[in-house]
Amino acid sequence: MANLTGTESSDLLNGTIESDRISALAGNDTIFGFEGDDWLSGNLGDDAIYANQGNDTAYGGRGKDSLYGGRGNDLLSGNLDDDYINGNADDDTIYGGKGNDTVRGGKGNDRIFGDSQSDPFGNRGNDILFGDLGSNTLTGGEGNDTFVLGSSGDVLTDFTSGEDRIGLNGLSFSDLNISQGTGENANNTVIANRLTGAVLATLQGITASSLSANNFTALGSPSSSPNPTPNPPVRPPISSPTPTPSFGDPGGTLATAADLNNLSGMRSLQQRVDDTDPIDIYKFNLTTPSSFNLTLDGLSADADISLVKDLNNNGEIEAEEILFVSDESGITPEARSNYLLADGTYYVVVEQYEGNTDYNLTLNATPFDSSQDGGGNSLATATDLGELVDEINVNDFVSNSDPDDYYRFSLSQETGFAMFLSGLTADADVELIQDKNNNGVVDDGEVIGRSEEAGVDPEYVDVARLAPDTYYVRVLEFDGDTPYQLDLLASRDSGVDAEVFTTIDANQTIQENLESSDQANPSRIDSRKDDYHLTNVVAGQTVTVNLNSSEFDTYLQLVNAFTGEVIAENDDVDSSTDSSLSFVVQPNTDYLVRVTSFDPQDTGRGQYTVSTQTSSPIAGTIAANNTAANEVVNGELSATDLRDPADNTRYKDTYQLTNVTA
């Protein structure tokens, strides 16, 4: 579990696979929750929050925020200003909050509120609400809201004729059958697809006769068939661009995206995003692995762009399916160059951020030469990425003919570290390596982080503390050819300072107090901790740690000082409230002895005694050149002796050789 607080700057805050609590403070921050049931808050600034897996709670705070729920039953709130919120998968509860928000339910049966019902100030906002897939409940709140018709019969609880409108995405008013409900829907209006008969929405408390075409507005695909919009090239092309197909305004969903068919070479388009049509999506296909370039320019207001691959083919944009985002401020052009893509289908999403603007979109794809490998093939030939200060991004390719890519980076100070491998179209894995003996070979114990997710799921490695040193990353093909996006992140700016630990030596006893002012224990909710760095032990020694207190119920943990992983833990020994554990010291491993409590901090505090007992690393001495006789030592191997680091099933006795000269 991570308990992170950002700074006044723009931070990158990475959670863990546990249930994290992350507060970003000021700045335009990016927060990743990952697995676990996380609590995430953007606070001030224009933040991007990716809750990912788990039943998460996320608050945008003040600023124009983007919130993505990911998998799980999430609670999302944009709070103040004009936010974009997408629940993604599963059954979410979403509040737009104050401001003109765009809210999408995604997949699942969602409850969507344009405004927060509990805000005493009313939170008036002109919101756009998309139920998307699933049976959703949409409540606009105050303001002039737009309820966009989905495909699964959403319930609109507070549609007000004359104030709110119903958005048509890929449909026209003539495609609808509007009728008064029957039975339990006798006081409601039912809107259905005239062609298929599928119910699109139920408007509570509305009579069918009160609705007309004036209550509807077209979004995405046009409600009629206008003349095709011309798409001239915006600059002299490097090569002759492929003619742009004739289509009207691009749709705002993957299903209604403008289809560019096969992309080879350059293609240029000209379109517009505005308050009534905030999202344009284009679909294209690659028939061979390609190097992809994208530019969005000619802007008079702020717009952003992203590239998406619908990995699970469910017609929804999920957090892990966004390959990259370009979100420059103002009218600065958005661009991405030389991004490697496998063959397949992709989507370009142009999204209004603030204001109405025309735009020029230029796409270019050239076949990728897989022989031009950007990553080395061993530790010795690893591509040098230099010092990792904040973030390093790499885009490359692994295949059956080039199954391994190696990269080298350095750290000049201790930092938290996270690594992501995404954008996969086949299974690939990733490893973090430290060549501790500098022999150029990956030996046992030198892979300090590994991720082996199945299929095309993103890979993730998180290390709580990395010491200053040189490290290596290995990307390895597991099953099939695939491009990849590798992101290396240093979290030294996360507002979490490196800890300085009190030491506890072998065979030492310390008496101290566990207090409510001590640091929070990240692995036990609502408890405090004292950490001691275990020193003067050698590989193979057996160490026993005892923790005793007459004032609180103790809890003892052994932690890998390098990664933060809890290796072993004990609550009660011999049916008492004391704790004890034993372990064998492993090579190249540093340990923290963590004193904490079974009960929460209110009662889990008081005086304690922690002690260590170790087996001796030296069984005795044996002298060379003994003038009396050749020295003979008799000994006995037993279970109390040191373990052999090379074979943990064997015991050993070590003798110090004396009476020798150079």
Side-chain angles (χ1 to χ4, degrees):
M1 172 182 174
N3 191 346
L4 304 179
T5 301
T7 67
E8 299 300 313
S9 303
S10 297
D11 301 314
L12 173 64
L13 301 172
N14 300 306
T16 68
I17 61 174
E18 306 297 334
S19 297
D20 306 310
R21 184 179 182 89
I22 304 177
S23 297
L25 300 183
N28 300 330
D29 307 300
T30 301
I31 302 175
F32 289 92
F34 299 113
E35 298 180 42
D37 301 337
D38 306 308
W39 186 94
L40 314 171
S41 177
N43 287 312
L44 303 178
D46 301 339
D47 308 307
I49 301 177
Y50 301 88
N52 288 309
Q53 299 181 39
N55 301 327
D56 308 305
T57 300
Y59 300 96
R62 184 183 297 274
K64 298 176 179 178
D65 308 305
S66 299
L67 281 68
Y68 301 88
R71 293 190 178 96
N73 303 327
D74 306 308
L75 171 62
L76 309 176
S77 177
N79 299 128
L80 303 178
D81 298 310
D82 305 342
D83 307 306
Y84 174 82
I85 310 174
N86 194 325
N88 299 128
D90 297 311
D91 304 338
D92 308 306
T93 300
I94 307 174
Y95 297 91
K98 190 173 184 179
N100 303 328
D101 307 305
T102 299
V103 182
R104 306 191 73 115
K107 188 176 182 180
N109 303 325
D110 307 305
R111 298 171 64 238
I112 301 174
F113 303 88
D115 304 321
S116 175
Q117 294 181 322
S118 60
D119 193 310
F121 300 103
N123 273 342
R124 181 185 299 274
N126 302 327
D127 306 308
I128 303 175
L129 310 180
F130 294 78
D132 291 326
L133 300 178
S135 299
N136 310 295
T137 302
L138 279 60
T139 303
E142 297 192 49
N144 301 323
D145 305 309
T146 301
F147 299 85
V148 182
L149 292 182
S151 59
S152 302
D154 299 328
V155 176
L156 282 53
T157 67
D158 67 342
F159 177 82
T160 302
S161 182
E163 293 183 6
D164 304 321
R165 293 199 293 178
I166 298 173
L168 300 176
N169 200 1
L171 294 169
S172 67
F173 181 71
S174 61
D175 294 326
L176 306 178
N177 182 33
I178 302 172
S179 62
Q180 195 68 33
T182 59
E184 62 181 14
N185 280 323
N187 296 323
N188 306 326
T189 292
V190 177
I191 302 177
N193 186 310
R194 183 182 297 276
L195 179 63
T196 66
V199 174
L200 304 177
T202 299
L203 282 58
Q204 292 184 340
I206 298 295
T207 59
S209 60
S210 67
L211 296 181
S212 68
N214 293 331
N215 297 112
F216 294 79
T217 183
L219 296 177
S221 298
S223 56
S224 59
S225 300
N227 293 326
T229 303
N231 297 294
V234 298
R235 60 174 64 86
I238 299 173
S239 59
S240 299
T242 304
T244 301
S246 296
F247 51 80
D249 185 42
T253 67
L254 299 189
T256 61
D259 194 349
L260 305 181
N261 298 312
N262 292 337
L263 178 63
S264 178
M266 179 179 290
R267 188 165 293 182
S268 298
L269 307 102
Q270 190 177 65
Q271 267 295 347
R272 177 180 178 85
V273 286
D274 53 36
D275 291 339
T276 62
D277 179 22
I279 299 175
D280 284 349
I281 301 183
Y282 300 88
K283 173 183 176 181
F284 68 89
N285 186 64
L286 296 175
T287 59
T288 185
S290 299
S291 176
F292 177 71
N293 298 273
L294 172 153
T295 303
L296 183 74
D297 58 12
L299 302 173
S300 59
D302 197 354
D304 301 324
I305 198 164
S306 58
L307 181 68
V308 172
K309 184 170 180 60
D310 189 14
L311 296 171
N312 56 11
N313 296 311
N314 69 345
E316 293 295 317
I317 300 176
E318 300 178 7
E320 62 269 23
E321 297 177 334
I322 301 174
L323 302 185
F324 66 74
V325 176
S326 179
D327 53 1
E328 299 289 341
S329 61
I331 62 174
T332 303
E334 311 288 348
R336 190 66 184 260
S337 300
N338 300 319
Y339 192 90
L340 300 184
L341 296 175
D343 52 317
T345 300
Y346 298 87
Y347 299 85
V348 173
V349 181
V350 180
E351 185 172 357
Q352 176 204 38
Y353 182 79
E354 183 176 31
N356 305 328
T357 180
D358 295 327
Y359 63 81
N360 304 317
L361 175 63
T362 304
L363 313 176
N364 192 15
T366 56
F368 168 65
D369 183 359
S370 60
S371 65
Q372 299 178 357
D373 184 22
N377 296 317
S378 65
L379 296 187
T381 62
T383 300
D384 189 4
L385 302 178
E387 181 183 355
L388 175 60
V389 177
D390 293 309
E391 182 174 355
I392 295 176
N393 311 109
V394 177
N395 182 223
D396 211 312
F397 205 92
V398 286
S399 62
N400 290 327
S401 60
D402 176 30
D404 298 289
D405 281 350
Y406 286 84
Y407 300 94
R408 180 175 65 248
F409 70 93
S410 63
L411 293 174
S412 62
Q413 68 182 66
E414 187 176 78
T415 182
F417 173 81
M419 173 169 64
F420 306 88
L421 189 73
S422 59
L424 303 174
T425 58
D427 198 353
D429 301 320
V430 67
E431 296 176 341
L432 177 65
I433 299 167
Q434 185 182 24
D435 188 15
K436 298 175 182 179
N437 56 11
N438 295 310
N439 67 347
V441 177
V442 183
D443 299 313
D444 290 343
E446 292 186 336
V447 176
I448 59 178
R450 177 185 286 116
S451 179
E452 300 174 321
E453 296 292 335
V456 298
D457 287 348
E459 308 289 346
Y460 169 62
V461 172
D462 178 28
V463 180
R465 298 166 62 230
L466 276 186
D469 205 344
T470 297
Y471 299 89
Y472 298 84
V473 174
R474 177 191 179 201
V475 180
L476 53 155
E477 177 259 352
F478 183 80
D479 183 22
D481 302 350
T482 179
Y484 61 83
Q485 172 75 23
L486 175 66
D487 299 302
L488 310 180
L489 310 172
S491 57
R492 65 184 63 168
D493 293 331
S494 66
V496 181
D497 296 326
E499 295 182 61
V500 178
F501 299 107
T502 302
T503 61
I504 186 169
D505 290 341
N507 302 305
Q508 182 181 4
T509 298
I510 293 176
Q511 190 174 71
E512 260 295 349
N513 290 286
L514 189 64
E515 301 173 345
S516 58
S517 59
D518 289 331
Q519 287 192 337
N521 186 349
S523 61
R524 289 185 61 79
I525 296 175
D526 204 25
S527 65
R528 300 295 168 175
K529 70 178 177 73
D530 284 342
D531 283 343
Y532 296 91
H533 188 192
L534 182 61
T535 57
N536 292 330
V537 294
V538 298
Q541 276 186 287
T542 299
V543 179
T544 299
V545 184
N546 296 302
L547 175 61
N548 309 95
S549 177
S550 61
E551 299 184 8
F552 67 94
D553 190 352
T554 65
Y555 200 99
L556 181 62
Q557 295 179 311
L558 183 69
V559 178
N560 186 315
F562 195 71
T563 66
E565 174 190 5
V566 176
I567 302 171
E569 52 192 341
N570 177 257
D571 176 20
D572 297 330
V573 61
D574 297 331
S575 301
S576 70
T577 58
D578 297 329
S579 306
S580 179
L581 58 82
S582 297
F583 67 99
V584 177
V585 177
Q586 299 300 307
N588 303 313
T589 304
D590 285 342
Y591 297 94
L592 296 178
V593 174
R594 176 167 294 168
V595 174
T596 186
S597 63
F598 178 80
D599 296 316
Q601 59 175 320
D602 291 340
T603 55
R605 55 184 175 176
Q607 190 177 77
Y608 64 84
T609 301
V610 60
S611 62
T612 60
Q613 297 174 345
T614 61
S615 57
S616 173
I618 303 297
T621 62
I622 184 169
N625 302 314
N626 190 316
T627 57
N630 291 329
E631 181 150 358
V632 177
V633 175
N634 294 317
E636 180 181 355
L637 286 175
S638 69
T640 61
D641 289 326
L642 289 159
R643 302 269 189 170
D644 185 349
D647 184 351
N648 201 39
T649 66
R650 299 175 183 270
Y651 296 94
K652 69 170 185 174
D653 281 342
T654 301
Y655 292 88
Q656 183 178 4
L657 181 63
T658 64
N659 198 26
V660 293
T661 58

